[in-house]
């Protein structure tokens, strides 16, 4: 609303209140004001801490597929815009994004490969987990710099005890005081991929070992969550990390069908397509 007039994407609205067509609602411009934090004094970074808008890839998603931000975050729907009104094409006002595990899964494709694909007792094996930003027009993760992914490999014995483990993180790390500085950023740009490798020597005999491979998405860090509860009065328990992908592989037998030979490339799980702009 502006000056008592409700702005919107339609130029033929009939309503009991003043309305005005604003073409920005049909473009990404309507997203810009909130999803780009401008740089200020003593702030040394290329893109603001919540700089999703300037990250947007403008060739494949925009020009070839005709997609805008709303294509994924406000999917099209046909329904009355108001009670008793005509059915027309509009958009859902869900604004699903980094707080929604299913939305994150739809953007990130995951595939797991083994080398060699036929594991043999007493020989070394390398497992490669590939993350592909196949469904987002911006970096993954994006928005709040507290958001990050962890890629976790764990070898467990038959009692669930950890024999060997490895954890890698993917995100953006910022120094906030005394000045704001980008320290490190290894997020995935649109259409990019990254391999994470884990090596382990297979046991000489079947010992009931299994390999657990997991990708988790974190909305914020453990420390930030505790700060919200202890210093800002956050009540109750709120999930702030989600498992996006998990596989448990027996290291004493043949691999499951969803583990591919190293060097084979295909789009893995996730990366569901959003519709084109209306």
């Amino acid at each position: 609303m502006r000056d008592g007039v409700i702005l919107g994407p339609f130029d033929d609205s009939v309503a009991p209140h003043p309305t005005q067509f604003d073409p920005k609602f049909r473009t990404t411009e309507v997203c810009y004001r909130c999803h780009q934090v401008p740089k200020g004094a003593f702030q040394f970074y290329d893109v603001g801490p919540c700089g999703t808008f300037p990250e947007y890839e403008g060739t494949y998603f925009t020009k070839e597929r005709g997609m805008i931000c709303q294509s994924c975050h406000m999917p099209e729907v046909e329904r009355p815009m108001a009670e008793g009104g005509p059915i027309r094409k509009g958009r859902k006002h869900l604004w699903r994004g980094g707080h929604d595990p299913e939305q994150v899964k739809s953007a990130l494709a995951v595939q797991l490969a083994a080398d060699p694909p036929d594991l043999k007792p007493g020989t070394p094996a390398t497992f490669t987990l590939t993350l592909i930003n196949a469904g987002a027009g911006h970096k993954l993760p994006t928005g709040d710099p507290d958001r990050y992914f962890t890629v976790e490999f764990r070898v467990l014995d038959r009692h669930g005890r950890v024999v060997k483990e490895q954890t890698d993180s993917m995100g953006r790390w910022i120094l906030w005081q005394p000045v704001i500085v980008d320290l490190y950023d290894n997020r995935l740009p649109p259409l990019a991929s990254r391999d994470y490798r884990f090596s382990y020597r297979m046991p000489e005999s079947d010992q009931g070992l299994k390999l657990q491979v997991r990708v988790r998405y974190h909305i914020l860090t453990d420390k930030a969550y505790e700060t919200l509860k202890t210093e800002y009065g956050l009540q109750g328990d709120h999930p702030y990390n989600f498992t996006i992908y998990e596989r448990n592989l027996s290291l004493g037998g043949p691999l499951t069908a969803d583990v591919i030979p190293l060097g084979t490339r295909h789009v893995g799980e996730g990366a569901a397509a959003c519709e084109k702009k209306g």
Side-chain angles (χ1 to χ4, degrees), residues 126-153:
T126 298
F127 299 89
T128 302
L129 188 81
T130 302
L131 301 183
I132 310 167
N133 183 355
H138 48 69
K139 291 183 178 181
L140 287 178
T142 191
D144 193 322
D146 281 337
R147 299 172 179 176
Y148 65 102
F149 289 93
T150 52
V151 177
E152 305 164 6
F153 296 90

Side-chain angles (χ1 to χ4, degrees), residues 112-114 117 119 127 211 245-251 253-261 269:
L112 179 62
L119 305 181
F127 299 89
L211 173 65
Y245 173 94
E246 182 172 343
R247 287 294 179 273
N248 291 280
L249 309 176
S250 171
L251 297 182
L255 295 177
T256 55
D258 58 352
V259 180
I260 63 174
E269 294 186 13

Side-chain angles (χ1 to χ4, degrees), residues 24 27-36 53 68-70 74:
K24 291 182 180 179
T27 71
T28 59
E29 287 188 51
V30 73
C31 310
Y32 176 80
R33 293 176 62 187
C34 294
H35 292 276
Q36 163 57 15
F53 191 88
I68 56 177
C69 305
Q70 296 91 317
M74 297 182 67

Side-chain angles (χ1 to χ4, degrees), residues 36-266:
Q36 163 57 15
V37 178
K39 182 184 296 187
F42 303 105
Q43 298 178 7
F44 304 96
Y45 42 66
D46 294 330
V47 176
C50 297
T52 300
F53 191 88
E55 294 172 6
Y56 195 75
E57 190 275 337
T59 301
Y60 172 72
F61 286 100
T62 302
K63 295 180 180 179
E64 294 186 26
R65 295 189 59 186
M67 296 175 65
I68 56 177
C69 305
Q70 296 91 317
S71 300
C72 290
H73 300 289
M74 297 182 67
E76 289 185 344
V77 63
E78 291 189 359
R79 64 182 179 187
M81 297 295 105
E83 186 175 350
I87 295 177
R88 64 195 307 174
K89 183 180 291 186
R91 292 192 176 275
K92 296 180 180 180
H93 288 66
L94 300 176
W95 297 291
R96 286 177 173 161
H99 57 281
D100 186 327
E102 295 305 315
Q103 187 77 6
V104 177
K105 289 179 182 179
S106 73
L108 187 69
V110 185
Q111 61 185 31
L112 179 62
D115 183 25
D118 51 339
L119 305 181
K120 297 179 180 180
T123 60
T126 298
F127 299 89
T128 302
L129 188 81
T130 302
L131 301 183
I132 310 167
N133 183 355
H138 48 69
K139 291 183 178 181
L140 287 178
T142 191
D144 193 322
D146 281 337
R147 299 172 179 176
Y148 65 102
F149 289 93
T150 52
V151 177
E152 305 164 6
F153 296 90
R154 297 200 305 171
V155 176
L156 307 174
D157 66 15
R158 64 176 76 253
H159 302 292
R161 293 176 297 217
V162 178
V163 177
K164 182 179 180 180
E165 63 182 337
Q166 173 184 305
T167 300
D168 297 284
S169 298
M170 183 176 75
R172 184 183 184 189
W173 289 266
I174 294 178
L175 174 69
W176 296 103
Q177 293 179 344
V179 295
I180 301 178
V181 179
D182 256 321
L183 297 179
Y184 186 62
D185 186 346
N186 69 342
R187 295 174 297 161
L188 272 182
L191 306 178
S193 65
R194 182 172 299 125
D195 292 337
Y196 293 90
R197 294 182 175 86
F198 176 77
S199 297
Y200 187 73
R201 179 172 289 276
M202 305 303 296
E204 295 290 347
S205 59
D206 185 2
Q207 300 177 11
L209 298 179
K210 71 175 181 180
L211 173 65
Q212 181 184 78
V213 184
R214 185 167 63 174
V215 179
R216 286 198 296 161
Y217 171 70
H218 306 255
I219 294 178
L220 71 170
T221 63
D222 294 343
K223 182 179 179 180
Y225 180 71
E226 285 303 314
T227 299
L228 288 176
K229 300 195 73 171
T230 57
E231 297 186 19
Y232 295 95
L234 179 66
Q235 301 294 318
D237 293 323
H238 303 269
Y240 61 97
N241 62 72
F242 306 93
T243 298
I244 302 301
Y245 173 94
E246 182 172 343
R247 287 294 179 273
N248 291 280
L249 309 176
S250 171
L251 297 182
L255 295 177
T256 55
D258 58 352
V259 180
I260 63 174
L262 189 65
T264 304
R265 287 291 182 182
H266 64 80

